[in-house]
Amino acid sequence: MASQWEPLLGTADIAEPEVREWVFVENQARALFSRYGYGELRTPVIERTDVFVRGLGDETDVVKKEMYTFEDRGGRSVTLRPEGTAGVMRAIANQGLAEGEERRVFYMGPMFRGERPAAGRRRQFHQVGVEAVGRAAPLLDAECIAMLLHFLEEVGIADGELLVNSRGTADDRPAAAAALKEHFTPHLAGLCEDCRRRFETNVWRMLDCKVEGCQEAIRGAPAIMDLLGAESKAYFAAVCACLDGLKVPYRVDPRLVRGLDYYEHTVFEVVHSGLGAQNALAGGGRYALFLPGSDRPVRGVGFAAGLERLLLARASLGQAAAGTPGMDVFLVSLGERALAASQLLAAELRHAGLRVLAETTGRSMKAQMRAADRVRARYTLIRGDNELDGGTVLCKAMADGVQTPVAAGEVAAWLLARLMSG
Ligand code: HAM
């Protein structure tokens, strides 16, 4: 039976040493995105519900079935963010974006979707994402995609597969939707309930269905590209030419539609073989996102990668960040006077840059030495009344057991000289 202290289903505590993997990936993201001119933006994890309903589309699975929505104390409907783009667009609109101005932001943090938990699928998961807002150009889309692959390389994942496609624009949709409906009509009776609903509400989403019994009908569907107008086809061809120019390998997946309704033109995903069924490491595209109360969309291009999945892919490749380092020093204190004096010495050593733990409760010598072993201390500093009276500290190197008495005022320099030299 699950312990009462376990975190909620689909959520996780992230502790040492695993947390080092997280910090490594987050640091790589920060360093890399800033090289491309992106600055960090932190938005609240909670937003007014209509930011997502209007932003992502009320027919998307995320909005229909997966949002953590509740009434706050003032009776307003609020939602834990299921993704980052809508909140980022709200924040940018709130700051104001001049005509023709470009804004490049990246973000990272927890997202919430009430999905059935599985390997690589959580209810609280974490994304690192970027958005380049305000301009539309094939070169910008290609640069964004190339940056995603560069980021994956920086975190040790060089073997993801990039899939690209186009969703066209709002102008293309009525004719394309009609063609898809025509294709699916004779198959409807044999399709899943979700597909039959999507047939009425948003036929594109049928292409994204994962149910086994629906795959044959989906495989036979017309390629989206063939249903788009000349302008959208030209835009996509230009994006592909830019990717070729950047020597970015990709595969056009004619049925890639993505799960959110704000996309137009370019859509892309990176899948990885080390992930199992939830094989999308990252996804994104160009979008026109509507905010509540506005009928002019905010346009941009971006992507988000799932941190949990990045770590699973890294693990499948045998990549691992350096483990938790041990402590430099453990201060063993025998008697009340030594306990007090050692707190001061510990503070001095920490100010000198060392990683220091000091005994706080006055356990036996044996128990304190065991504690020093547990934290993998490289030196143990031992003091009792004799050392205090003599003004010395007994410094024991744990690697070879050699003990050296050192004058109390010189301990920091003595340790630094040894720890820095290896
Ligand atoms: P998304 O495809 O819904 O796109 O999510 C992006 C990534 O988040 C996925 O590829 C996956 O790695 C991770 N992810 C999604 N759901 C879960 C989950 N339940 N558990 C673990 N990982 C998950 C977006 O969210 C868009 N906002 C991306 C974007 C940014 N498009 C344009 N700009």
Side-chain angles (χ1 to χ4, degrees):
M1 209 183 86
S3 134
Q4 61 176 321
W5 310 121
E6 269 184 25
L8 285 172
L9 188 67
T11 70
D13 301 314
I14 303 153
E16 294 270 7
E18 194 203 345
V19 79
R20 292 190 172 258
E21 274 279 301
W22 288 70
V23 171
F24 168 78
V25 172
E26 289 161 1
N27 286 347
Q28 296 301 108
R30 283 205 169 82
L32 185 79
F33 299 155
S34 70
R35 279 199 248 160
Y36 286 77
Y38 288 75
E40 184 163 357
L41 176 64
R42 301 184 186 196
T43 64
V45 295
I46 189 166
E47 297 271 1
R48 281 185 293 275
T49 300
D50 54 5
V51 169
F52 303 115
V53 174
R54 179 116 165 95
L56 313 189
D58 53 9
E59 263 310 312
T60 56
D61 281 357
V62 171
V63 168
K64 247 195 147 55
K65 310 195 237 179
E66 297 170 0
M67 294 209 301
Y68 282 93
T69 298
F70 52 95
E71 261 187 24
D72 72 3
R73 285 163 181 271
R76 287 165 293 253
S77 179
V78 295
T79 294
L80 293 177
R81 63 182 182 193
E83 59 97 61
T85 311
V88 167
M89 294 310 117
R90 182 204 49 69
I92 289 178
N94 186 44
Q95 292 164 351
L97 187 71
E99 193 65 39
E101 188 190 345
E102 187 188 64
R103 192 81 50 82
R104 294 180 170 216
V105 298
F106 72 87
Y107 51 90
M108 51 185 80
M111 310 288 161
F112 304 84
R113 296 184 192 175
E115 296 187 82
R116 199 166 43 78
R121 190 165 64 206
R122 293 265 172 89
R123 292 181 172 169
Q124 176 177 332
F125 61 100
H126 299 75
Q127 288 185 340
V128 292
V130 309
E131 314 292 349
V133 186
R135 295 215 184 114
L139 258 181
L140 184 54
D141 298 11
E143 187 198 66
C144 182
I145 293 172
M147 180 171 81
L148 168 58
L149 295 190
H150 190 174
F151 167 58
L152 294 176
E153 245 173 66
E154 294 284 296
V155 299
I157 306 168
D159 60 342
E161 187 189 14
L162 171 65
L163 309 175
V164 296
N165 195 23
S166 174
R167 289 277 329 242
T169 66
D171 292 343
D172 301 322
R173 303 253 159 89
L180 287 173
K181 277 195 161 181
E182 196 183 319
H183 163 75
F184 280 117
T185 300
H187 301 277
L188 260 190
L191 299 183
C192 74
E193 198 184 313
D194 274 345
C195 277
R196 291 204 301 271
R197 180 172 52 75
R198 288 168 182 153
F199 181 83
E200 299 300 337
T201 55
N202 188 345
V203 65
W204 301 86
R205 312 259 343 105
M206 293 176 76
L207 297 176
D208 209 27
C209 179
K210 302 287 184 286
V211 174
E212 194 45 50
C214 302
Q215 295 312 306
E216 203 182 310
I218 292 173
R219 271 194 297 274
I224 294 175
M225 194 59 56
D226 297 336
L227 308 176
L228 302 181
E231 205 185 306
S232 295
K233 282 182 179 153
Y235 190 96
F236 186 64
V239 172
C240 292
C242 295
L243 289 173
D244 293 335
L246 288 167
K247 300 194 178 4
V248 170
Y250 60 91
R251 179 161 72 79
V252 177
D253 177 349
R255 311 217 200 287
L256 179 68
V257 286
R258 306 267 308 125
L260 306 160
D261 278 348
Y262 48 55
Y263 292 109
E264 61 174 18
H265 288 305
T266 323
V267 286
F268 55 92
E269 243 167 51
V270 174
V271 294
H272 192 268
S273 56
L275 289 181
Q278 312 303 320
N279 68 349
L281 263 182
R286 171 157 292 286
Y287 49 83
L289 187 144
F290 288 91
L291 289 170
S294 168
D295 47 18
R296 271 190 43 217
V298 195
R299 289 199 148 82
V301 62
F303 64 76
L307 255 156
E308 285 81 359
R309 295 192 192 172
L310 292 175
L311 299 193
L312 285 173
R314 273 171 58 76
S316 78
L317 296 168
Q319 305 267 4
T324 315
M327 301 304 289
D328 293 321
V329 178
F330 189 95
L331 270 59
V332 171
S333 303
L334 305 168
E336 288 297 321
R337 279 172 65 210
L339 268 178
S342 289
Q343 292 306 314
L344 199 61
L345 181 57
E348 184 193 334
L349 298 177
R350 288 177 185 132
H351 277 94
L354 299 181
R355 300 162 50 79
V356 180
L357 274 181
E359 171 66 6
T360 50
T361 53
R363 291 170 291 179
S364 70
M365 170 88 170
K366 200 167 148 205
Q368 293 189 46
M369 289 309 285
R370 236 185 286 129
D373 273 335
R374 251 198 316 272
V375 298
R376 292 178 286 135
R378 294 173 66 190
Y379 285 88
T380 317
L381 272 47
I382 305 162
R383 275 201 298 193
D385 287 338
N386 285 348
E387 285 76 16
L388 280 174
D389 292 341
T392 61
V393 178
L394 194 58
C395 298
K396 177 175 179 180
M398 299 300 272
D400 56 13
V402 173
Q403 304 194 21
T404 316
V406 178
E410 286 159 25
V411 170
W414 187 91
L415 282 169
L416 280 171
R418 280 154 186 82
L419 286 165
M420 298 304 156
S421 67

